Amino acid sequence: MQEVNIQFSDIMKTEHPELILKKARPFLDLMMEYQCALMEVETKLNVLNEEFASKYQRNPFESIQSRIKEPLSIINKMKRKGYEMSVESMEKNLFDIAGIRVICSFCDDIYTIAELLTRQDDIILVETKDYIRNPKPNGYRSLHLILDIPIFLSSGKKHMKVEVQFRTIAMDFWASLEHKVKYKKNIPHSEEIVAELKACADVISEMDCKMLEIRNKIEETVEE
């Protein structure tokens, strides 16, 4: 496959649109394949959600958010990691180009859905990073899975990598705010802010545990 040395500014200087498309085609095709892989995983998650709603009269997750990594972010990560700048290298080395975030109400639903998803016989679990049981030093919590999933194209079956992140509503709220603060420059008292964010993450974790206890008590009462 043609190497993608993605210097779009140089490509755009040409007067021939067909040349632009020809040079970009391998990259665009790969992005389309990642989009198809996202659709496959989303469908599986939605089926599990419908089944839970039917069997247990509640949904295991609140929402699903999917995205394809922006081209500039892909390029920057390839450069940072020292990878060859080609379509083949992107596909081989980057496992987070296609990403899905699943927002759950309760921690136990995260592990239940993750297990049910990875037990499906057409999915291969490539990697697990459990930042819920083992939070990052800054307090970040989430369950990350790298999945290998087949897509079926006109040319045949192809395996793609998709990253799936599971968080509770509270974890996602914290991560969103932490991300906004993290990328601001020249923040005074930055060490104090980092410590406060870590303390907030601990409080949120305690709240998640307490909400799960309350839910379990309610369910036990209903069963009685």
Side-chain angles (χ1 to χ4, degrees):
M1 190 177 288
Q2 180 181 358
E3 179 173 307
V4 177
N5 188 13
I6 310 177
Q7 300 293 335
F8 287 116
S9 59
D10 293 337
I11 296 173
M12 291 300 292
K13 291 175 184 177
T14 179
E15 296 180 358
H16 304 289
E18 64 274 13
L19 181 58
I20 297 172
L21 291 174
K22 182 178 179 181
K23 287 181 176 293
R25 177 51 55 192
F27 177 79
L28 295 176
D29 286 345
L30 182 61
M31 295 304 103
M32 176 274 294
E33 291 166 359
Y34 278 119
Q35 187 62 51
C36 292
L38 286 179
M39 292 165 60
E40 291 283 350
V41 177
E42 281 193 70
T43 297
K44 290 176 177 294
L45 287 167
N46 282 322
V47 168
L48 290 172
N49 200 38
E50 288 296 320
E51 182 186 7
F52 261 66
S54 176
K55 282 187 175 182
Y56 308 112
Q57 287 73 56
R58 69 180 182 85
N59 299 98
F61 53 83
E62 299 292 327
S63 65
I64 302 176
Q65 304 162 3
S66 63
R67 63 101 182 102
I68 300 291
K69 208 172 187 69
E70 293 292 332
L72 186 58
S73 295
I74 294 173
I75 294 168
N76 288 339
K77 187 167 185 178
M78 295 284 286
K79 289 180 177 178
R80 191 169 65 250
K81 296 288 187 178
Y83 297 138
E84 177 190 358
M85 198 64 66
S86 67
V87 167
E88 296 93 334
S89 180
M90 289 177 195
E91 192 171 0
K92 176 183 177 182
N93 295 302
L94 299 188
F95 293 170
D96 63 345
I97 293 177
I100 293 180
R101 185 172 299 150
V102 184
I103 309 301
C104 298
S105 297
F106 303 100
C107 280
D108 64 341
D109 287 335
I110 288 177
Y111 291 103
T112 298
I113 294 299
E115 182 182 359
L116 291 172
L117 183 64
T118 55
R119 271 182 11 203
Q120 297 188 17
D121 59 11
D122 59 343
I123 286 182
I124 298 170
L125 177 60
V126 177
E127 184 178 44
T128 301
K129 291 182 179 178
D130 191 342
Y131 298 118
I132 298 176
R133 291 174 176 148
N134 302 288
K136 289 186 177 182
N138 67 347
Y140 174 83
R141 289 170 168 84
S142 183
L143 176 65
H144 293 198
L145 306 180
I146 302 297
L147 305 180
D148 180 302
I149 185 164
I151 61 172
F152 297 87
L153 305 168
S154 60
S155 57
K157 182 170 71 173
K158 180 175 181 180
H159 285 265
M160 306 296 297
K161 302 292 192 305
V162 175
E163 181 185 53
V164 183
Q165 297 180 0
F166 292 90
R167 299 175 182 170
T168 64
I169 299 169
M171 291 173 194
D172 190 58
F173 172 72
W174 182 92
S176 176
L177 293 183
E178 192 270 346
H179 182 79
K180 290 176 182 178
V181 172
K182 181 179 177 181
Y183 289 98
K184 289 187 179 296
K185 304 296 183 182
N186 303 317
I187 300 176
H189 312 297
S190 59
E191 290 184 3
E192 180 182 339
I193 290 172
V194 168
E196 288 178 351
L197 282 169
K198 173 63 169 62
C200 287
D202 293 340
V203 169
I204 283 174
S205 178
E206 291 175 7
M207 184 186 71
D208 272 335
C209 291
K210 179 58 68 174
M211 292 302 293
L212 179 58
E213 288 178 11
I214 293 171
R215 189 206 71 186
N216 290 339
K217 286 180 181 178
I218 292 171
E219 290 183 348
E220 288 171 4
T221 302
V222 171
E223 288 174 2
E224 292 175 359

